């Protein structure tokens, strides 16, 4: 394996890789075009943030104004998405924000963002799988099939048994099961996974159109009053702070375009196709989010969605269309599957890039001889993400994912400005307009949403980063390929 050349720095912590595009003769296959990249973005973005967390964010934070929360999140994502597009067009390699940070800001920053991306992808996939489990249970229930309640909830949740008693859950078995199935598909190959994802995306968009079209006549306008409920006196519980807290809660749903950038080394023409995939998927998904959440909060009063991880199933039950209820639940299950596929794809590619640079054991850079996929990374996260899905509730998983996503976006915006100074002559097939204005706005907006999240989420992030830094100084710093060259 060729080792990356080192850029000298006064500190080994800030040593940077030179910007080099890897040869296509070895490693990952370039099989993805712009349509596949847009589909990957939509497949990842439209999922738990819309189909599950809309109800939780509305009932606990924003009320019907969760629609505004989606707009706030979209604005922050728009600024970050433009920055991602510039970096992905000039550095079309696997690893996303990790690779960009390594070349722009130095090794220790790259390690922080790579470790942080575990929160964004692996924990995000666990949150989505929990929602997948709830919708599967709802669909089976409509067919008269009941799954054991204690095998649908984590030990931190209370479930009602048929005799009326309440006990703690054991594990979310269906959530762990779907993580294993999707991981096996990803090991089989990215082109096969992309074809499956494209079919699911069509189904998912059709479901959104159906819910909006058939749900509008049954909207109860009284559910929109008050549109912005008064703050209860606690930050994040309704009012303006509630809108911001809700934006942070659902923010991880916008990791779709970030996941697109992790597949840059598998794009056929990354300089042209990556900006199309990133910005195209972001635009389509934002429109869908606003329309869908408006209809959802009109069908069901936000107070009735408290703790409901399957609010769309609840909303569709307000209409008389029996066929629509089954179709929507089935479509959402398919949609969650595509989200899991893209999140786990992104996570394995980040670990592949980190291992290739020597920051993780070489095992994770091993490519399967037949399927050309980083299968050891897929196996690792099948176990890790499956355990998180089985034993943690969705609200904790969602907050952890959102803060990881936001931190990645902030670092990408900083990286754009830094590379414009350190590599001003490098070709940029796409350039963010307006000089430093948009990157600065991206930093400000994403930081504002981060600050709206609760203190416990910040503590979890701090603990996670401390663990990551211990691994860096204990293993990664001395095993880095740049350390071997210096």
């Amino acid at each position: 394996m060729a080792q990356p050349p080192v850029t000298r720095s006064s500190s080994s912590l800030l040593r940077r890789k030179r910007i080099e595009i890897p040869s296509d003769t070895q490693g990952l296959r370039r099989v993805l075009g712009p349509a596949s990249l847009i589909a990957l973005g939509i497949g990842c973005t439209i999922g738990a943030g819309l189909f599950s967390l809309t109800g939780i964010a509305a009932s606990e934070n924003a009320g019907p104004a969760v629609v505004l929360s989606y707009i706030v999140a979209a604005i922050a994502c728009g600024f970050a998405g433009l920055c991602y597009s510039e970096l992905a067009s000039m550095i079309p390699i696997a690893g996303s924000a990790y690779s960009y940070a390594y070349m722009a800001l130095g090794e220790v920053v790259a390690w922080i963002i790579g470790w942080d991306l575990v929160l964004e992808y692996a924990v995000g996939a666990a949150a989505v799988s929990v929602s997948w489990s709830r919708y599967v249970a709802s669909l089976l229930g409509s067919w008269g099939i009941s799954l054991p309640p204690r095998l649908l909830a984590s030990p931190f949740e209370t479930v009602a048994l048929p005799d009326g008693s309440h006990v703690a859950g054991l594990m979310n078995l269906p959530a762990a099961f779907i993580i294993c199935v999707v991981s096996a598909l990803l090991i089989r190959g990215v082109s096969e996974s992309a074809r499956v994802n494209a079919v699911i995306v069509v189904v998912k968009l059709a479901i959104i159109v159906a819910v909006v079209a058939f749900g509008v006549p049954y909207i109860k306008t009284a559910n929109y009053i008050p549109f912005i409920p008064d703050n209860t006196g606690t930050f994040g519980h309704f009012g303006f702070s509630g809108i911001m807290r809700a934006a942070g809660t659902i923010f991880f749903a916008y990791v779709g375009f970030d996941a697109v950038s992790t597949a840059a080394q598998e794009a056929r023409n990354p300089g042209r196709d990556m900006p199309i995939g990133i910005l195209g998927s972001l635009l389509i998904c934002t429109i869908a989010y606003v329309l869908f959440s408006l209809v959802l909060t009109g069908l069901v009063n936000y107070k009735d969605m408290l703790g409901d991880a399957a609010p769309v199933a609840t909303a569709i039950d307000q209409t008389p269309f029996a066929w629509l209820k089954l179709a929507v639940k089935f479509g959402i299950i398919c949609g969650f599957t595509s989200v899991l596929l893209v999140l786990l794809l992104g996570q394995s590619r980040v670990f592949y890039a980190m291992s290739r640079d020597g920051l993780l054991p070489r095992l994770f850079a091993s490519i399967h001889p037949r399927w050309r996929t980083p299968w050891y990374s897929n196996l690792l996260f099948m176990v890790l993400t499956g355990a998180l899905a089985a034993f943690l509730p969705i609200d904790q998983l969602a907050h952890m994912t959102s803060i990881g996503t936001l931190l990645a976006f902030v670092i990408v915006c900083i990286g754009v400005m830094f590379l414009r100074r350190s590599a001003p002559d490098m070709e940029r097939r796409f350039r963010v307009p307006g000089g430093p204005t948009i990157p600065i706005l991206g930093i400000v907006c994403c930081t504002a949403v981060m600050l709206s999240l609760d203190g416990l989420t910040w503590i979890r992030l701090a603990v996670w980063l401390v663990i990551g830094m211990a691994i860096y100084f204990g293993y990664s710093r001395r095993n880095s390929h740049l350390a071997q060259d210096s």
Side-chain angles (χ1 to χ4, degrees), residues 3 33 35-36 62 66 75 91 130 139 141 199 207 213 255 275 283 285 287 321 412 426 435 475 480:
Q3 295 184 357
S36 295
V66 70
I75 291 171
I91 314 173
V130 172
L139 179 64
V199 173
I207 290 300
V255 302
L283 176 62
C285 292
I287 294 172
F321 306 110
V412 165
M426 186 172 181
Y475 174 87
S480 163

Side-chain angles (χ1 to χ4, degrees), residues 44 84 95-97 113-114 116-128 179 252 255-263 339-340 342-350 381 385 401 404-405 408-409:
C44 184
Y84 263 98
S96 181
I113 196 62
D116 171 70
L117 286 173
V118 177
L119 282 181
E120 181 176 335
Y121 291 121
V123 182
V128 173
I179 292 293
F252 90 91
V255 302
F257 67 81
D258 177 270
V260 171
S261 68
T262 66
V339 175
L340 291 172
V342 182
L343 285 173
L344 292 174
L345 168 71
Q347 179 59 78
S348 64
R349 272 43 178 185
V350 171
F381 283 98
T385 308
T401 308
T405 304
F409 289 178

Side-chain angles (χ1 to χ4, degrees), residues 18-369:
R18 294 194 184 100
I19 301 174
E20 289 192 347
I21 310 304
S23 168
D24 295 335
T25 58
Q26 294 181 337
L28 305 177
R29 292 175 177 169
R30 292 196 180 276
V31 296
L32 303 178
S36 295
L37 292 170
I38 289 176
L40 282 175
I42 296 174
C44 184
T45 306
I46 297 180
L50 185 63
F51 296 139
S52 288
L53 292 180
T54 299
I56 293 173
S59 62
E60 297 181 1
N61 306 118
V66 70
V67 175
L68 301 181
S69 300
Y70 277 114
I71 295 174
V72 169
I75 291 171
C77 283
F79 294 138
L82 289 167
C83 294
Y84 263 98
S85 296
E86 179 171 323
L87 293 180
S89 68
M90 64 184 292
I91 314 173
I93 61 176
S96 181
Y98 158 77
S99 295
Y100 307 152
Y102 211 158
M103 296 177 182
L105 302 172
E107 185 173 277
V108 70
V109 179
W111 170 262
I112 290 171
I113 196 62
W115 188 246
D116 171 70
L117 286 173
V118 177
L119 282 181
E120 181 176 335
Y121 291 121
V123 182
V128 173
S129 68
V130 172
S131 287
W132 185 94
S133 173
R134 300 287 174 84
Y135 276 98
V136 166
S138 178
L139 179 64
L140 293 177
S142 57
W143 292 337
I145 303 173
S146 298
L147 299 177
R150 299 190 73 185
L151 294 181
L152 294 170
S154 75
F156 300 97
E157 298 172 286
T158 301
V159 296
L161 298 180
D163 62 5
S165 61
H166 290 78
V167 296
L170 293 175
M171 65 178 296
N172 197 323
L173 187 60
F177 167 77
I178 190 58
I179 292 293
C180 294
V181 171
V182 172
S183 296
L185 178 61
L186 285 169
I187 291 172
R188 178 64 180 80
V190 68
S191 59
E192 291 82 359
S193 302
R195 283 194 289 269
V196 172
N197 178 70
V199 173
I200 293 175
V201 164
V202 172
V203 173
K204 183 158 49 176
L205 291 177
I207 290 300
I208 291 175
V209 172
V211 170
V212 172
F214 289 98
V216 166
Y218 298 91
I219 287 177
K220 302 177 183 69
T221 55
N223 288 335
Y224 293 134
I225 302 173
F227 189 72
I228 305 178
D230 292 335
N231 184 266
T232 61
T234 302
F235 184 91
H237 290 268
F238 307 108
F240 175 76
S241 66
I243 293 172
M244 295 299 295
R245 174 68 60 82
T249 298
I250 54 91
F251 200 90
F252 90 91
Y254 282 98
V255 302
F257 67 81
D258 177 270
V260 171
S261 68
T262 66
Q265 200 169 326
E266 291 154 282
R268 287 198 293 265
N269 185 358
R272 180 200 66 186
D273 297 345
M274 295 309 297
I276 294 174
I278 291 171
L279 297 177
S281 60
L282 178 60
L283 176 62
I284 293 171
C285 292
T286 299
I287 294 172
Y289 273 29
V290 170
L291 292 176
F292 199 89
S293 59
L294 190 62
V295 171
L296 185 67
T297 53
L299 289 172
V300 181
N301 189 281
Y302 71 92
K303 296 177 182 178
D304 297 330
M305 290 189 280
L306 185 63
D308 188 356
V312 181
T314 304
I316 292 303
D317 287 341
Q318 309 302 311
T319 72
F321 306 110
W323 64 270
L324 182 61
K325 298 174 186 178
L326 292 177
V328 166
K329 292 175 184 178
F330 178 76
I332 289 174
I333 291 168
C334 291
F336 281 155
T337 305
S338 71
V339 175
L340 291 172
L341 188 149
V342 182
L343 285 173
L344 292 174
L345 168 71
Q347 179 59 78
S348 64
R349 272 43 178 185
V350 171
F351 252 53
Y352 167 80
M354 295 176 74
S355 177
R356 186 187 56 198
D357 294 331
L359 300 184
L360 292 171
R362 293 188 60 179
L363 178 72
F364 299 115
S366 298
I367 299 295
H368 194 282

